[in-house]
Amino acid sequence: MHDVMSKGITLVEGLEKSKEPQLAREAIYIMWPSEESLTKMLMDFDESFRVYKAAHVFLLDRLPPVLVTKLQQSPAKKYIRSLKESYIGFLPKESRVFTLNFPDSFRLFFSPGSAGKGEMKTRIADQLATLCAFLGEFPTIRCNKAVAGVEDIAHELYKRLEDFKMQSPSFATDEGKNKSELIILDRGFDVVSPLVHELTYQAMVYDLLGIKRDVYSYEATTEGGGKHSREVILDESDPLWVELRHKFISDVIGEVREMVKGFADSKSKSPTASYDMSVKKLHQMIKEVPQYQKELSKLARHFSLAETCDKKLKAGMFDLCKAEQDLATGESETGEKIDSAMNLTTPILFDRKIGVYEKVRLMMLQLLFSEGEAKEGFAKLIQRVEIPPKERSSILNLACLGHPSVEGREGRGNGIEEQSQRAEEEGEGRRREIRRLSLDTHHSRHHGVCHRGEAGYELLSRAVTASWLLASFLHLHPPRPSRSECPQ
Protein backbone atom coordinates (compact mmCIF):
# COMPACT_ATOMS: atom_id res chain seq x y z
CA MET A 1 0.00 0.00 0.00
CA HIS A 2 2.91 2.34 0.72
CA ASP A 3 4.20 1.85 -2.84
CA VAL A 4 0.73 2.49 -4.25
CA MET A 5 0.22 5.65 -2.21
CA SER A 6 3.63 6.98 -3.28
CA LYS A 7 2.34 7.08 -6.86
CA GLY A 8 -0.44 9.50 -5.92
CA ILE A 9 -3.23 6.91 -5.59
CA THR A 10 -5.22 7.86 -2.52
CA LEU A 11 -7.99 5.23 -2.49
CA VAL A 12 -7.95 1.47 -3.10
CA GLU A 13 -11.24 -0.47 -3.15
CA GLY A 14 -12.45 -3.94 -4.05
CA LEU A 15 -14.34 -4.25 -7.30
CA GLU A 16 -17.35 -5.74 -5.52
CA LYS A 17 -17.82 -2.83 -3.09
CA SER A 18 -20.55 -0.23 -3.43
CA LYS A 19 -19.03 3.14 -4.27
CA GLU A 20 -20.04 6.75 -3.93
CA PRO A 21 -19.86 8.90 -7.12
CA GLN A 22 -16.54 10.68 -7.61
CA LEU A 23 -17.03 12.21 -11.04
CA ALA A 24 -13.89 14.33 -10.80
CA ARG A 25 -11.66 11.24 -10.60
CA GLU A 26 -10.46 8.69 -13.12
CA ALA A 27 -10.27 5.09 -11.86
CA ILE A 28 -7.69 2.37 -12.49
CA TYR A 29 -9.15 -1.14 -12.71
CA ILE A 30 -6.88 -4.14 -12.23
CA MET A 31 -8.93 -7.32 -12.66
CA TRP A 32 -9.19 -10.85 -13.96
CA PRO A 33 -10.95 -10.87 -17.38
CA SER A 34 -14.07 -12.72 -16.25
CA GLU A 35 -17.65 -11.87 -17.14
CA GLU A 36 -18.40 -11.12 -13.48
CA SER A 37 -15.53 -8.63 -13.16
CA LEU A 38 -16.30 -6.92 -16.47
CA THR A 39 -19.99 -6.59 -15.57
CA LYS A 40 -19.15 -4.93 -12.25
CA MET A 41 -16.73 -2.55 -13.92
CA LEU A 42 -19.28 -1.54 -16.58
CA MET A 43 -21.91 -0.93 -13.88
CA ASP A 44 -19.70 1.86 -12.50
CA PHE A 45 -20.29 3.73 -15.76
CA ASP A 46 -24.01 3.21 -16.12
CA GLU A 47 -25.56 6.45 -17.39
CA SER A 48 -28.15 6.40 -14.60
CA PHE A 49 -25.51 6.19 -11.85
CA ARG A 50 -21.98 6.87 -13.04
CA VAL A 51 -19.27 6.64 -10.36
CA TYR A 52 -16.08 7.91 -12.05
CA LYS A 53 -15.06 10.35 -14.74
CA ALA A 54 -13.22 7.70 -16.78
CA ALA A 55 -11.57 4.26 -16.54
CA HIS A 56 -8.12 2.82 -17.23
CA VAL A 57 -8.50 -0.96 -17.39
CA PHE A 58 -5.65 -3.43 -16.85
CA LEU A 59 -6.55 -7.09 -17.36
CA LEU A 60 -4.49 -9.93 -15.88
CA ASP A 61 -5.00 -12.10 -18.97
CA ARG A 62 -6.44 -12.00 -22.46
CA LEU A 63 -10.05 -10.79 -22.72
CA PRO A 64 -12.13 -13.59 -24.33
CA PRO A 65 -13.81 -12.66 -27.67
CA VAL A 66 -17.31 -12.87 -26.18
CA LEU A 67 -16.36 -10.30 -23.54
CA VAL A 68 -14.69 -8.09 -26.15
CA THR A 69 -18.06 -7.97 -27.93
CA LYS A 70 -19.85 -7.19 -24.67
CA LEU A 71 -17.44 -4.32 -24.01
CA GLN A 72 -17.82 -2.92 -27.52
CA GLN A 73 -21.61 -2.94 -27.26
CA SER A 74 -21.70 -1.33 -23.83
CA PRO A 75 -22.56 2.38 -23.48
CA ALA A 76 -19.75 2.53 -20.94
CA LYS A 77 -17.03 2.08 -23.57
CA LYS A 78 -16.85 5.81 -24.25
CA TYR A 79 -15.53 6.33 -20.73
CA ILE A 80 -12.65 3.86 -21.13
CA ARG A 81 -9.46 5.85 -21.71
CA SER A 82 -7.11 2.85 -21.88
CA LEU A 83 -7.31 -0.94 -21.98
CA LYS A 84 -4.33 -3.24 -21.58
CA GLU A 85 -3.95 -7.01 -21.31
CA SER A 86 -1.13 -7.91 -18.94
CA TYR A 87 -0.24 -11.58 -18.77
CA ILE A 88 0.16 -12.01 -15.02
CA GLY A 89 -2.37 -14.69 -14.08
CA PHE A 90 -0.24 -15.88 -11.18
CA LEU A 91 0.69 -14.66 -7.72
CA PRO A 92 4.39 -14.29 -6.79
CA LYS A 93 4.89 -15.35 -3.18
CA GLU A 94 8.67 -14.99 -3.15
CA SER A 95 11.44 -14.37 -5.67
CA ARG A 96 11.42 -18.05 -6.72
CA VAL A 97 7.95 -19.14 -5.64
CA PHE A 98 4.58 -18.49 -7.23
CA THR A 99 1.04 -19.80 -6.89
CA LEU A 100 -1.94 -19.74 -9.23
CA ASN A 101 -4.18 -18.83 -6.28
CA PHE A 102 -6.56 -21.66 -7.17
CA PRO A 103 -7.33 -23.44 -3.87
CA ASP A 104 -9.98 -25.76 -5.34
CA SER A 105 -7.60 -27.27 -7.90
CA PHE A 106 -6.33 -29.98 -5.52
CA ARG A 107 -9.83 -31.25 -4.75
CA LEU A 108 -10.96 -31.01 -8.39
CA PHE A 109 -7.89 -32.84 -9.67
CA PHE A 110 -7.89 -35.77 -7.25
CA SER A 111 -11.43 -36.29 -5.96
CA PRO A 112 -13.20 -39.13 -7.80
CA GLY A 113 -16.15 -37.96 -9.87
CA SER A 114 -15.63 -34.26 -9.14
CA ALA A 115 -17.27 -31.90 -11.61
CA GLY A 116 -15.38 -29.06 -13.26
CA LYS A 117 -12.14 -30.89 -14.05
CA GLY A 118 -12.13 -29.70 -17.66
CA GLU A 119 -12.56 -26.07 -16.68
CA MET A 120 -9.89 -26.48 -13.99
CA LYS A 121 -7.33 -27.87 -16.46
CA THR A 122 -8.01 -25.06 -18.92
CA ARG A 123 -7.62 -22.43 -16.22
CA ILE A 124 -4.35 -23.93 -14.95
CA ALA A 125 -2.98 -24.05 -18.50
CA ASP A 126 -4.05 -20.44 -19.12
CA GLN A 127 -2.42 -19.22 -15.95
CA LEU A 128 0.80 -21.12 -16.61
CA ALA A 129 0.83 -19.62 -20.08
CA THR A 130 0.72 -16.12 -18.59
CA LEU A 131 3.77 -17.02 -16.50
CA CYS A 132 5.66 -18.15 -19.61
CA ALA A 133 4.57 -15.02 -21.48
CA PHE A 134 5.65 -12.82 -18.58
CA LEU A 135 9.09 -14.48 -18.52
CA GLY A 136 9.38 -14.50 -22.31
CA GLU A 137 9.76 -18.29 -22.36
CA PHE A 138 8.40 -20.90 -24.76
CA PRO A 139 9.63 -23.98 -22.88
CA THR A 140 9.83 -27.64 -23.78
CA ILE A 141 6.88 -29.10 -21.89
CA ARG A 142 7.26 -32.47 -20.20
CA CYS A 143 4.66 -34.35 -18.16
CA ASN A 144 3.81 -37.70 -16.63
CA LYS A 145 1.47 -39.36 -19.12
CA ALA A 146 0.58 -42.09 -16.66
CA VAL A 147 -1.53 -39.67 -14.61
CA ALA A 148 -4.93 -38.77 -16.06
CA GLY A 149 -5.30 -35.04 -16.49
CA VAL A 150 -1.66 -34.00 -16.44
CA GLU A 151 -1.19 -34.57 -20.18
CA ASP A 152 -4.37 -32.56 -20.87
CA ILE A 153 -2.89 -29.58 -19.03
CA ALA A 154 0.34 -29.92 -21.00
CA HIS A 155 -1.53 -29.93 -24.34
CA GLU A 156 -3.70 -26.96 -23.33
CA LEU A 157 -0.60 -25.02 -22.27
CA TYR A 158 1.17 -25.74 -25.55
CA LYS A 159 -1.84 -24.54 -27.56
CA ARG A 160 -1.99 -21.34 -25.58
CA LEU A 161 1.72 -20.64 -26.12
CA GLU A 162 1.26 -21.31 -29.84
CA ASP A 163 -1.49 -18.67 -29.82
CA PHE A 164 0.87 -16.22 -28.14
CA LYS A 165 3.45 -16.93 -30.82
CA MET A 166 0.97 -16.31 -33.62
CA GLN A 167 -0.18 -13.02 -32.09
CA SER A 168 3.36 -11.87 -31.37
CA PRO A 169 6.05 -13.44 -33.60
CA SER A 170 8.75 -11.83 -31.47
CA PHE A 171 7.63 -13.86 -28.42
CA ALA A 172 10.47 -16.01 -27.01
CA THR A 173 12.89 -15.45 -29.92
CA ASP A 174 16.07 -14.95 -27.91
CA GLU A 175 18.38 -17.35 -29.76
CA GLY A 176 21.27 -16.79 -27.37
CA LYS A 177 19.38 -18.34 -24.48
CA ASN A 178 19.06 -22.04 -23.70
CA LYS A 179 15.55 -23.39 -24.11
CA SER A 180 13.90 -23.88 -20.74
CA GLU A 181 11.92 -26.93 -19.67
CA LEU A 182 8.60 -26.97 -17.83
CA ILE A 183 7.87 -30.20 -15.94
CA ILE A 184 4.22 -30.82 -15.03
CA LEU A 185 3.66 -33.41 -12.30
CA ASP A 186 0.87 -34.21 -9.89
CA ARG A 187 1.03 -34.19 -6.09
CA GLY A 188 1.07 -37.98 -6.08
CA PHE A 189 4.63 -37.86 -7.45
CA ASP A 190 5.89 -36.96 -3.98
CA VAL A 191 3.48 -37.40 -1.09
CA VAL A 192 6.16 -37.71 1.58
CA SER A 193 7.50 -34.15 1.67
CA PRO A 194 4.30 -32.39 2.81
CA LEU A 195 3.91 -34.92 5.65
CA VAL A 196 7.40 -34.58 7.14
CA HIS A 197 8.15 -31.81 9.64
CA GLU A 198 10.96 -29.89 7.98
CA LEU A 199 13.47 -28.45 10.47
CA THR A 200 14.60 -25.36 8.62
CA TYR A 201 13.67 -21.92 9.97
CA GLN A 202 10.87 -20.83 7.64
CA ALA A 203 9.32 -24.29 7.54
CA MET A 204 9.14 -24.56 11.33
CA VAL A 205 7.79 -21.03 11.78
CA TYR A 206 4.89 -21.67 9.40
CA ASP A 207 4.33 -25.19 10.66
CA LEU A 208 4.32 -24.48 14.41
CA LEU A 209 3.40 -20.85 15.01
CA GLY A 210 0.07 -20.39 13.22
CA ILE A 211 1.22 -17.94 10.56
CA LYS A 212 -1.69 -16.52 8.53
CA ARG A 213 -1.17 -14.61 5.28
CA ASP A 214 2.55 -14.26 6.09
CA VAL A 215 1.77 -12.42 9.35
CA TYR A 216 2.97 -13.58 12.77
CA SER A 217 0.81 -12.24 15.61
CA TYR A 218 2.02 -12.34 19.21
CA GLU A 219 1.73 -10.58 22.56
CA ALA A 220 4.58 -8.34 23.66
CA THR A 221 5.32 -7.04 27.16
CA THR A 222 5.52 -3.28 27.66
CA GLU A 223 7.95 -1.51 30.02
CA GLY A 224 5.17 -1.28 32.61
CA GLY A 225 4.55 -5.02 32.48
CA GLY A 226 1.39 -4.77 30.40
CA LYS A 227 0.58 -6.81 27.31
CA HIS A 228 -0.15 -5.60 23.81
CA SER A 229 -0.51 -7.40 20.49
CA ARG A 230 2.06 -7.04 17.73
CA GLU A 231 2.27 -8.26 14.17
CA VAL A 232 5.33 -9.13 12.10
CA ILE A 233 5.19 -9.53 8.32
CA LEU A 234 7.45 -12.34 7.11
CA ASP A 235 8.34 -11.52 3.52
CA GLU A 236 11.24 -10.51 1.31
CA SER A 237 11.19 -6.90 2.50
CA ASP A 238 13.21 -8.23 5.46
CA PRO A 239 16.74 -9.12 4.24
CA LEU A 240 17.47 -11.06 7.44
CA TRP A 241 14.44 -13.31 6.87
CA VAL A 242 15.62 -14.00 3.32
CA GLU A 243 19.12 -14.83 4.56
CA LEU A 244 18.01 -17.17 7.36
CA ARG A 245 14.77 -18.82 6.21
CA HIS A 246 16.22 -21.97 4.59
CA LYS A 247 18.79 -22.70 7.32
CA PHE A 248 18.57 -25.41 9.99
CA ILE A 249 16.82 -24.04 13.09
CA SER A 250 19.77 -24.48 15.48
CA ASP A 251 22.09 -22.77 12.99
CA VAL A 252 19.73 -19.81 12.85
CA ILE A 253 19.84 -19.38 16.64
CA GLY A 254 23.64 -19.55 16.58
CA GLU A 255 23.94 -17.07 13.72
CA VAL A 256 21.59 -14.55 15.34
CA ARG A 257 23.59 -14.80 18.57
CA GLU A 258 26.76 -14.06 16.62
CA MET A 259 25.04 -11.11 14.90
CA VAL A 260 24.02 -9.70 18.29
CA LYS A 261 27.53 -10.18 19.66
CA GLY A 262 29.02 -8.51 16.59
CA PHE A 263 26.58 -5.63 16.91
CA ALA A 264 27.34 -5.22 20.62
CA ASP A 265 31.11 -5.33 19.98
CA SER A 266 30.88 -2.73 17.20
CA LYS A 267 29.11 -0.31 19.57
CA SER A 268 31.36 -1.00 22.57
CA LYS A 269 34.90 0.11 23.29
CA SER A 270 35.68 -3.21 25.01
CA PRO A 271 34.50 -6.15 22.86
CA THR A 272 33.13 -9.13 24.74
CA ALA A 273 34.69 -12.55 24.42
CA SER A 274 31.26 -14.17 24.47
CA TYR A 275 27.68 -13.07 24.77
CA ASP A 276 25.20 -15.28 26.63
CA MET A 277 22.07 -14.08 24.87
CA SER A 278 18.41 -14.60 25.69
CA VAL A 279 15.28 -12.87 24.42
CA LYS A 280 14.98 -11.00 27.74
CA LYS A 281 18.58 -9.73 27.56
CA LEU A 282 18.11 -8.71 23.94
CA HIS A 283 15.06 -6.61 24.82
CA GLN A 284 17.04 -5.06 27.66
CA MET A 285 19.77 -4.11 25.20
CA ILE A 286 17.17 -2.41 22.98
CA LYS A 287 16.08 -0.26 25.94
CA GLU A 288 19.69 0.66 26.75
CA VAL A 289 20.58 1.78 23.22
CA PRO A 290 17.34 3.20 21.77
CA GLN A 291 19.22 4.82 18.87
CA TYR A 292 19.82 1.32 17.48
CA GLN A 293 16.31 0.10 18.19
CA LYS A 294 15.46 -0.66 14.55
CA GLU A 295 18.48 -2.94 13.98
CA LEU A 296 18.19 -4.69 17.33
CA SER A 297 14.42 -5.16 16.99
CA LYS A 298 14.91 -7.16 13.79
CA LEU A 299 17.48 -9.37 15.49
CA ALA A 300 15.21 -9.78 18.52
CA ARG A 301 12.28 -10.74 16.30
CA HIS A 302 14.15 -13.54 14.55
CA PHE A 303 15.87 -14.71 17.71
CA SER A 304 12.48 -15.00 19.42
CA LEU A 305 10.89 -16.84 16.48
CA ALA A 306 13.76 -19.31 16.15
CA GLU A 307 14.00 -19.92 19.89
CA THR A 308 10.24 -20.55 20.15
CA CYS A 309 10.43 -23.15 17.38
CA ASP A 310 13.47 -24.78 18.96
CA LYS A 311 11.68 -25.04 22.33
CA LYS A 312 8.68 -26.71 20.70
CA LEU A 313 11.01 -29.17 18.99
CA LYS A 314 12.76 -30.07 22.24
CA ALA A 315 9.49 -30.21 24.20
CA GLY A 316 8.30 -33.40 22.55
CA MET A 317 8.60 -33.16 18.78
CA PHE A 318 12.14 -34.46 18.43
CA ASP A 319 11.20 -38.17 18.54
CA LEU A 320 8.32 -37.52 16.13
CA CYS A 321 10.60 -35.78 13.63
CA LYS A 322 13.20 -38.54 13.91
CA ALA A 323 10.57 -41.22 13.20
CA GLU A 324 9.31 -39.23 10.20
CA GLN A 325 12.81 -38.94 8.77
CA ASP A 326 13.49 -42.65 9.27
CA LEU A 327 10.26 -43.58 7.46
CA ALA A 328 10.93 -41.07 4.67
CA THR A 329 14.44 -42.39 3.97
CA GLY A 330 13.93 -46.04 4.92
CA GLU A 331 16.99 -46.04 7.14
CA SER A 332 18.04 -44.90 10.59
CA GLU A 333 20.41 -42.07 11.40
CA THR A 334 23.26 -44.58 11.53
CA GLY A 335 22.39 -45.97 8.10
CA GLU A 336 20.65 -49.15 9.25
CA LYS A 337 17.68 -50.33 7.19
CA ILE A 338 14.26 -49.88 8.80
CA ASP A 339 12.47 -53.23 8.88
CA SER A 340 9.33 -52.39 10.85
CA ALA A 341 7.43 -49.11 10.80
CA MET A 342 5.39 -50.18 13.81
CA ASN A 343 8.47 -50.26 16.04
CA LEU A 344 9.08 -46.61 15.18
CA THR A 345 5.55 -45.27 15.31
CA THR A 346 3.87 -47.14 18.18
CA PRO A 347 5.48 -45.19 21.10
CA ILE A 348 4.57 -41.90 19.40
CA LEU A 349 1.03 -42.82 18.33
CA PHE A 350 0.17 -43.70 21.93
CA ASP A 351 1.81 -40.58 23.37
CA ARG A 352 -1.02 -38.27 24.50
CA LYS A 353 1.24 -35.21 24.24
CA ILE A 354 1.29 -35.65 20.44
CA GLY A 355 -1.67 -34.03 18.67
CA VAL A 356 -4.12 -35.87 16.39
CA TYR A 357 -2.95 -33.97 13.31
CA GLU A 358 0.66 -35.07 13.87
CA LYS A 359 -0.46 -38.67 14.42
CA VAL A 360 -2.45 -38.64 11.17
CA ARG A 361 0.62 -37.48 9.27
CA LEU A 362 2.77 -40.16 10.92
CA MET A 363 0.23 -42.88 10.11
CA MET A 364 0.20 -41.79 6.47
CA LEU A 365 3.99 -42.06 6.38
CA GLN A 366 3.70 -45.49 7.95
CA LEU A 367 1.28 -46.62 5.22
CA LEU A 368 3.60 -45.26 2.51
CA PHE A 369 6.59 -47.03 4.05
CA SER A 370 4.71 -50.34 4.43
CA GLU A 371 3.03 -50.04 1.01
CA GLY A 372 -0.42 -50.24 2.52
CA GLU A 373 -2.10 -52.01 5.39
CA ALA A 374 -4.69 -54.75 5.79
CA LYS A 375 -8.13 -53.42 6.67
CA GLU A 376 -8.36 -55.33 9.96
CA GLY A 377 -4.98 -54.15 11.22
CA PHE A 378 -5.69 -50.57 10.21
CA ALA A 379 -9.10 -50.58 11.94
CA LYS A 380 -7.56 -51.84 15.19
CA LEU A 381 -4.80 -49.26 15.10
CA ILE A 382 -7.23 -46.41 14.40
CA GLN A 383 -9.39 -47.49 17.32
CA ARG A 384 -6.51 -47.81 19.76
CA VAL A 385 -4.92 -44.50 18.75
CA GLU A 386 -8.34 -42.80 18.95
CA ILE A 387 -8.27 -41.10 15.56
CA PRO A 388 -11.63 -39.30 14.97
CA PRO A 389 -13.74 -40.42 11.96
CA LYS A 390 -13.16 -37.22 10.00
CA GLU A 391 -9.39 -37.59 10.27
CA ARG A 392 -9.57 -41.25 9.18
CA SER A 393 -10.77 -40.23 5.73
CA SER A 394 -7.61 -38.13 5.31
CA ILE A 395 -5.55 -41.30 5.62
CA LEU A 396 -7.80 -43.23 3.23
CA ASN A 397 -7.40 -40.45 0.67
CA LEU A 398 -3.84 -41.59 0.00
CA ALA A 399 -5.41 -43.98 -2.51
CA CYS A 400 -6.70 -41.00 -4.50
CA LEU A 401 -3.11 -39.86 -4.99
CA GLY A 402 -2.11 -43.26 -6.31
CA HIS A 403 -0.47 -44.61 -3.18
CA PRO A 404 -1.16 -47.70 -1.05
CA SER A 405 -3.78 -47.19 1.62
CA VAL A 406 -5.75 -49.96 3.32
CA GLU A 407 -7.77 -53.02 2.39
CA GLY A 408 -5.62 -54.89 -0.07
CA ARG A 409 -2.97 -52.20 -0.55
CA GLU A 410 -4.89 -50.45 -3.32
CA GLY A 411 -3.58 -47.46 -5.23
CA ARG A 412 -5.07 -44.93 -7.62
CA GLY A 413 -8.37 -45.95 -9.12
CA ASN A 414 -9.09 -48.99 -6.90
CA GLY A 415 -11.66 -48.95 -4.14
CA ILE A 416 -12.03 -45.18 -4.36
CA GLU A 417 -15.80 -45.12 -4.86
CA GLU A 418 -16.34 -47.08 -1.65
CA GLN A 419 -13.96 -44.82 0.24
CA SER A 420 -15.62 -41.71 -1.15
CA GLN A 421 -19.03 -42.90 0.01
CA ARG A 422 -17.67 -43.75 3.45
CA ALA A 423 -16.00 -40.35 3.77
CA GLU A 424 -19.24 -38.54 2.93
CA GLU A 425 -21.10 -40.55 5.55
CA GLU A 426 -18.51 -39.62 8.17
CA GLY A 427 -19.18 -35.89 7.89
CA GLU A 428 -16.91 -33.44 6.16
CA GLY A 429 -15.81 -36.06 3.62
CA ARG A 430 -12.99 -36.22 1.17
CA ARG A 431 -13.18 -32.65 -0.10
CA ARG A 432 -12.18 -30.97 3.14
CA GLU A 433 -9.70 -33.60 4.20
CA ILE A 434 -7.69 -33.74 0.99
CA ARG A 435 -7.49 -29.99 0.98
CA ARG A 436 -6.54 -30.01 4.64
CA LEU A 437 -3.67 -32.43 4.15
CA SER A 438 -2.51 -30.51 1.10
CA LEU A 439 -1.45 -28.02 3.79
CA ASP A 440 -3.01 -25.26 1.75
CA THR A 441 -2.75 -22.85 4.65
CA HIS A 442 0.84 -23.64 5.56
CA HIS A 443 4.03 -22.56 3.94
CA SER A 444 6.18 -25.26 5.45
CA ARG A 445 7.56 -28.69 4.50
CA HIS A 446 10.13 -27.02 2.33
CA HIS A 447 12.69 -29.26 0.71
CA GLY A 448 12.48 -32.17 3.10
CA VAL A 449 16.19 -32.32 3.90
CA CYS A 450 16.92 -35.56 5.72
CA HIS A 451 20.16 -35.61 7.66
CA ARG A 452 21.16 -39.03 6.43
CA GLY A 453 23.62 -40.61 4.04
CA GLU A 454 24.36 -38.78 0.82
CA ALA A 455 22.56 -41.30 -1.42
CA GLY A 456 19.28 -41.03 0.52
CA TYR A 457 19.48 -37.26 0.55
CA GLU A 458 20.11 -37.02 -3.19
CA LEU A 459 17.17 -39.28 -3.99
CA LEU A 460 14.76 -37.27 -1.83
CA SER A 461 16.17 -33.98 -3.02
CA ARG A 462 15.58 -34.83 -6.68
CA ALA A 463 12.03 -35.95 -5.96
CA VAL A 464 11.19 -32.86 -3.95
CA THR A 465 12.72 -30.44 -6.44
CA ALA A 466 10.30 -31.86 -9.00
CA SER A 467 7.41 -31.73 -6.52
CA TRP A 468 8.21 -28.06 -5.89
CA LEU A 469 7.58 -27.35 -9.56
CA LEU A 470 4.32 -29.27 -9.38
CA ALA A 471 3.14 -27.60 -6.20
CA SER A 472 3.60 -24.18 -7.75
CA PHE A 473 0.70 -24.74 -10.12
CA LEU A 474 -1.52 -26.88 -7.88
CA HIS A 475 -1.66 -24.16 -5.22
CA LEU A 476 -0.18 -26.31 -2.52
CA HIS A 477 2.07 -24.01 -0.55
CA PRO A 478 5.11 -25.57 -2.12
CA PRO A 479 7.93 -27.58 -0.61
CA ARG A 480 10.82 -25.44 -1.72
CA PRO A 481 14.43 -26.43 -2.44
CA SER A 482 17.21 -24.51 -0.80
CA ARG A 483 18.93 -21.81 -2.78
CA SER A 484 21.68 -24.15 -3.93
CA GLU A 485 19.08 -26.64 -5.18
CA CYS A 486 16.71 -24.15 -6.85
CA PRO A 487 16.31 -24.51 -10.63
CA GLN A 488 17.87 -21.52 -12.33
Side-chain angles (χ1 to χ4, degrees), residues 112-153:
S114 62
K117 282 189 177 182
E119 183 181 346
M120 172 211 67
K121 289 183 282 191
T122 299
R123 175 175 165 180
I124 287 176
D126 286 347
Q127 291 181 269
L128 283 176
T130 69
L131 173 70
C132 294
F134 185 84
L135 297 174
E137 296 279 355
F138 195 142
T140 299
I141 303 171
R142 305 187 186 280
C143 67
N144 183 3
K145 290 185 178 182
V147 180
V150 172
E151 189 175 7
D152 296 336
I153 294 173

Side-chain angles (χ1 to χ4, degrees), residues 183-220:
I183 305 171
I184 302 179
L185 303 166
D186 74 303
R187 180 71 262 175
F189 179 82
D190 173 30
V191 181
V192 171
S193 297
L195 300 176
V196 174
H197 284 83
E198 167 59 30
L199 302 182
T200 50
Y201 180 36
Q202 184 186 41
M204 292 194 72
V205 166
Y206 277 84
D207 198 11
L208 302 178
L209 303 185
I211 306 298
K212 295 181 180 179
R213 300 181 68 86
D214 299 331
V215 176
Y216 173 53
S217 302
Y218 65 101
E219 280 195 345

Side-chain angles (χ1 to χ4, degrees), residues 293-309:
Q293 184 174 8
K294 185 176 181 181
E295 295 91 332
L296 285 171
S297 292
K298 284 187 178 181
L299 289 171
R301 174 194 313 166
H302 290 290
F303 187 83
S304 177
L305 281 169
E307 192 177 62
T308 302
C309 291

Side-chain angles (χ1 to χ4, degrees), residues 31 212 238 260 406:
M31 63 189 195
K212 295 181 180 179
D238 181 354
V260 173
V406 298

Side-chain angles (χ1 to χ4, degrees), residues 145-373:
K145 290 185 178 182
V147 180
V150 172
E151 189 175 7
D152 296 336
I153 294 173
H155 283 301
E156 289 281 349
L157 173 59
Y158 184 79
K159 290 178 185 176
R160 185 65 187 276
L161 293 176
E162 284 283 297
D163 290 342
F164 282 161
K165 191 70 174 177
M166 290 180 63
Q167 295 172 24
S168 178
S170 61
F171 169 58
T173 55
D174 188 350
E175 296 181 359
K177 185 170 62 174
N178 293 331
K179 192 174 182 65
S180 59
E181 292 192 10
L182 175 63
I183 305 171
I184 302 179
L185 303 166
D186 74 303
R187 180 71 262 175
F189 179 82
D190 173 30
V191 181
V192 171
S193 297
L195 300 176
V196 174
H197 284 83
E198 167 59 30
L199 302 182
T200 50
Y201 180 36
Q202 184 186 41
M204 292 194 72
V205 166
Y206 277 84
D207 198 11
L208 302 178
L209 303 185
I211 306 298
K212 295 181 180 179
R213 300 181 68 86
D214 299 331
V215 176
Y216 173 53
S217 302
Y218 65 101
E219 280 195 345
T221 304
T222 62
E223 290 187 18
K227 300 282 187 180
H228 68 102
S229 60
R230 282 189 176 179
E231 291 185 343
V232 175
I233 299 175
L234 302 172
D235 62 15
E236 297 197 349
S237 63
D238 181 354
L240 194 55
W241 171 252
V242 175
E243 179 184 347
L244 298 173
R245 62 188 175 188
H246 298 311
K247 295 183 178 180
F248 188 63
I249 190 69
S250 297
D251 294 340
V252 171
I253 295 173
E255 286 193 30
V256 174
R257 280 199 178 105
E258 287 299 315
M259 290 178 186
V260 173
K261 180 181 180 301
F263 186 88
D265 288 348
S266 67
K267 307 303 177 186
S268 173
K269 293 182 179 179
S270 54
T272 57
S274 63
Y275 202 90
D276 183 19
M277 181 51 58
S278 66
V279 174
K280 186 176 180 180
K281 288 183 178 179
L282 191 46
H283 283 294
Q284 184 62 36
M285 184 187 291
I286 294 173
K287 294 177 186 177
E288 293 172 356
V289 283
Q291 65 270 34
Y292 303 120
Q293 184 174 8
K294 185 176 181 181
E295 295 91 332
L296 285 171
S297 292
K298 284 187 178 181
L299 289 171
R301 174 194 313 166
H302 290 290
F303 187 83
S304 177
L305 281 169
E307 192 177 62
T308 302
C309 291
D310 194 51
K311 285 180 179 178
K312 284 181 176 287
L313 178 64
K314 292 175 180 177
M317 286 193 60
F318 185 80
D319 290 339
L320 171 64
C321 293
K322 182 179 181 300
E324 290 174 347
Q325 299 251 335
D326 289 349
L327 291 174
T329 58
E331 61 180 35
S332 69
E333 191 172 2
T334 58
E336 297 177 6
K337 184 179 178 181
I338 303 298
D339 295 320
S340 172
M342 289 294 291
N343 292 339
L344 282 174
T345 61
T346 299
I348 299 168
L349 292 176
F350 290 98
D351 185 346
R352 293 193 175 275
K353 296 194 296 292
I354 304 297
V356 170
Y357 187 50
E358 279 67 32
K359 291 180 181 179
V360 168
R361 288 164 60 175
L362 186 61
M363 290 183 72
M364 294 177 80
L365 285 169
Q366 178 179 325
L367 286 174
L368 292 168
F369 176 86
S370 304
E371 298 185 349
E373 182 64 65

Side-chain angles (χ1 to χ4, degrees), residues 333-480:
E333 191 172 2
T334 58
E336 297 177 6
K337 184 179 178 181
I338 303 298
D339 295 320
S340 172
M342 289 294 291
N343 292 339
L344 282 174
T345 61
T346 299
I348 299 168
L349 292 176
F350 290 98
D351 185 346
R352 293 193 175 275
K353 296 194 296 292
I354 304 297
V356 170
Y357 187 50
E358 279 67 32
K359 291 180 181 179
V360 168
R361 288 164 60 175
L362 186 61
M363 290 183 72
M364 294 177 80
L365 285 169
Q366 178 179 325
L367 286 174
L368 292 168
F369 176 86
S370 304
E371 298 185 349
E373 182 64 65
K375 182 178 180 180
E376 293 77 12
F378 177 78
K380 289 180 181 178
L381 183 61
I382 285 288
Q383 186 176 9
R384 293 176 63 196
V385 178
E386 299 178 349
I387 300 295
K390 289 187 290 187
E391 277 67 26
R392 296 176 201 173
S393 60
S394 300
I395 303 171
L396 297 174
N397 281 335
L398 276 175
C400 296
L401 276 71
H403 287 270
S405 183
V406 298
E407 196 173 8
R409 294 169 165 77
E410 69 277 347
R412 188 192 309 272
N414 296 318
I416 290 177
E417 293 299 329
E418 179 187 345
Q419 291 177 16
S420 178
Q421 181 180 357
R422 186 188 308 131
E424 291 296 331
E425 292 170 353
E426 288 172 345
E428 297 294 333
R430 184 181 314 282
R431 171 175 175 169
R432 174 180 171 184
E433 296 307 319
I434 286 186
R435 286 187 62 193
R436 180 182 177 191
L437 281 186
S438 76
L439 306 178
D440 198 23
T441 58
H442 294 274
H443 204 169
S444 61
R445 285 43 122 198
H446 284 221
H447 58 293
V449 173
C450 298
H451 303 282
R452 297 289 187 266
E454 197 64 26
Y457 173 83
E458 282 187 49
L459 179 63
L460 189 59
S461 174
R462 287 197 298 271
V464 177
T465 299
S467 78
W468 172 73
L469 297 171
L470 149 77
S472 296
F473 82 85
L474 276 188
H475 191 72
L476 310 180
H477 281 291
R480 207 163 41 257

